[in-house]
Amino acid sequence: MIRGLLLGLLCAALPVSLPASAADLPKTMRLASLDWLPYVNGSLEQEGWSSFVAESAARASGYQIRIEYFPWTRAVQLGSRDIRYAGYFPAYFTKERARSCHFSLPIGSSTVGLAYLKSAPVNWISVQDLTTLKIGVVAGFSNGPALDAMVRDGKLAPDASPSDMLNLRKLLAGRVNAVVIDKLVLRYLLLSEPSIAREREQIAFHDKPLAELPLHICFRHSAEGKVMQQAFNTALQTMSLRKLEGEYFQRLERNALQLP
């Protein structure tokens, strides 16, 4: 009996390794997104630039990111309405979206403009000048406040497609006069897409942008979404996005060009 008592005291004195409690583990931030090179894509380094920023800020705020990919309209629907998701990204700010989600601080920005064929230049001063042109857009994307307002008011009827790549093929085939596209998306597709490699020199990006649009996470409009937004924003404020962006896109460009 004494021997058993001594053994019990000895065991009690030894340090015990206990499994981490659920409170100690990172919470999951499940986000709906789309394939939008080079901002978000499962095959890219860190799943793309926007994913890299989102993951870095989420980790610093005690969350781990889980990204699931859908067509954009489906991603918006799931991220804003489905309780299984924390939200969707990367999203442009619009007043309509702000009524249905909690926007994060910017996780980067997007320069939106017109791609056109060098053989058929597009000259415009105001968006009203574009009403005579056939403009390709991606379905569900915001194209800047001015152009969106013209579409909403019925003054411009864009040609909608499900992807930027399909729009560029339409442009090369002469089915549209210009396409609305993000400047970095165009740059990346011209570098990396084999199907337009021979024709990439025909395409130019207009010097006059339609909009310079910050990118955000659109957290679901709920108490939990608000908590995530506040924690995420606090972490994001400690990061230097300009420095990280420069380094990230240099790596992407080297990989696309297969440089050492």
Side-chain angles (χ1 to χ4, degrees), residues 46-85:
Q46 305 289 336
E47 294 194 56
W49 162 241
S50 294
S51 300
F52 171 59
V53 175
E55 193 278 332
S56 298
R59 186 176 63 249
S61 59
Y63 292 88
Q64 59 181 4
I65 286 279
R66 179 180 171 186
I67 301 170
E68 296 180 10
Y69 296 88
F70 305 93
W72 180 239
T73 51
R74 179 64 173 157
V76 171
Q77 181 185 50
L78 288 171
S80 57
R81 300 178 186 173
D82 193 318
I83 61 172
R84 295 173 298 170
Y85 292 87

Side-chain angles (χ1 to χ4, degrees), residues 19 22 41-42 44 67 69 77 93 114 122 135 149 158 175 183 185 197 257:
N41 181 270
L44 279 182
I67 301 170
Y69 296 88
Q77 181 185 50
F93 177 88
L114 295 176
V122 172
I135 306 292
R175 293 168 56 190
K183 186 176 184 179
V185 172
L257 294 172

Side-chain angles (χ1 to χ4, degrees), residues 115-183:
Y116 62 93
L117 296 181
K118 294 177 182 177
S119 59
V122 172
N123 298 310
W124 67 284
I125 297 174
S126 71
V127 289
Q128 282 73 27
D129 299 330
L130 303 177
T131 56
T132 60
L133 303 178
K134 192 170 185 180
I135 306 292
V137 301
V138 177
F141 278 25
S142 174
N143 302 294
L147 195 64
D148 285 347
M150 289 189 62
V151 172
R152 190 167 54 249
D153 295 341
K155 297 177 180 177
L156 180 71
D159 185 299
S161 296
S163 71
D164 288 304
M165 196 61 241
L166 184 54
N167 275 340
L168 290 177
R169 292 194 179 104
K170 285 183 178 181
L171 179 66
L172 289 166
R175 293 168 56 190
V176 293
N177 302 110
V179 300
V180 179
I181 193 168
D182 170 273
K183 186 176 184 179

Side-chain angles (χ1 to χ4, degrees), residues 85-118:
Y85 292 87
Y88 63 93
F89 86 112
Y92 300 142
F93 177 88
T94 68
K95 291 181 179 178
E96 182 180 3
R97 287 176 182 167
R99 289 192 288 269
S100 62
C101 73
H102 298 298
F103 273 101
S104 73
L105 293 174
I107 58 172
S109 64
S110 165
T111 301
V112 177
L114 295 176
Y116 62 93
L117 296 181
K118 294 177 182 177

